[in-house]
Amino acid sequence: MGPSLPCAALLLALAACHGDPGADPVEVAPADGALEVATLDGGAGPSPAGGALWVEDADGVTAGVLVRRGGDDAAAGRVIYDLVTVFHPDSGLFFDLTMADGVVRYPATTFFNGSGCGQPVGVTAGGCSECRSAFGLAFLHDGAWWRVEGGATSQQRANGSSRGPGVASPCVAHGSANTKVFPVEAVTGPAPPTTFAAPLRFSWR
């Protein structure tokens, strides 16, 4: 006696699942609302190509990769909206500048030898006794690049003048024999440009 009708249907279905492996596959239409998978060969979805937001001057000269937009509103005289921090890959330096005028800004109160803001001796170390200075932090002074000594502890330095980090940062003469600073050194080797044509702009690359 042959199999019943339901059993015969089941046997036919199993035969279809385990049919000839050389047979052409059966195409099944996707269900409505199926997700479209992104591919790396130009298919649907966002491009996998990376990039960065660069800051360049009006002549196309590169300042660096944008690290931060906007200044520190807790520090007097800072430009909150115009100030940017950039990283210059060729030199490994980080520095602040303002987009509207292309001027490189001091990272913090900077102290100098003499009463006329001559040679820099350091930047303010603040009140943290265990803190160390940042690596790669730089500024431009009298056409030359200076770098804070990275990973240094604070030192007591004599100085005769200082300049703040704000846009209006005049040289202030004074006398101090023991200001707490992180030491600075002149940059040797690769360095960013010493001038930038205003206004600066952002460029995605």
Side-chain angles (χ1 to χ4, degrees):
M1 182 177 180
S4 63
L5 185 59
C7 290
L10 179 60
L11 289 174
L12 289 173
L14 289 173
C17 291
H18 300 282
D20 182 5
D24 293 335
V26 177
E27 292 186 5
V28 178
D32 291 339
L35 295 177
E36 194 169 10
V37 179
T39 63
L40 297 179
D41 59 356
S47 169
L53 190 60
W54 292 77
V55 176
E56 60 184 33
D57 74 0
D59 296 330
V61 175
T62 297
V65 180
L66 180 68
V67 174
R68 182 182 65 155
R69 182 179 183 183
D72 183 358
D73 59 1
R78 298 284 272 188
V79 176
I80 299 173
Y81 302 107
D82 188 34
L83 190 79
V84 294
T85 302
V86 300
F87 172 68
H88 187 258
D90 291 342
S91 62
L93 300 179
F94 294 83
F95 59 94
D96 292 344
L97 71 168
T98 39
M99 301 285 290
D101 55 16
V103 174
V104 177
R105 302 295 172 180
Y106 296 91
T109 300
T110 306
F111 298 92
F112 304 86
N113 284 330
S115 60
C117 291
Q119 179 174 325
V121 297
V123 298
T124 184
C128 179
S129 59
E130 298 179 357
C131 293
R132 293 181 177 271
S133 57
F135 285 86
L137 191 63
F139 59 92
L140 187 64
H141 178 70
D142 282 348
W145 282 97
W146 292 79
R147 170 177 42 220
V148 177
E149 293 182 15
T153 56
S154 61
Q155 302 178 9
Q156 303 288 336
R157 290 287 179 92
N159 61 91
S161 54
S162 64
R163 181 167 283 168
V167 171
S169 54
C171 180
V172 178
H174 56 78
S176 176
N178 58 353
T179 302
K180 185 179 177 182
V181 302
F182 289 129
V184 298
E185 59 188 0
V187 172
T188 58
T194 55
T195 59
F196 296 101
L200 275 61
R201 61 196 178 197
F202 299 105
S203 174
W204 179 261
R205 305 179 193 170

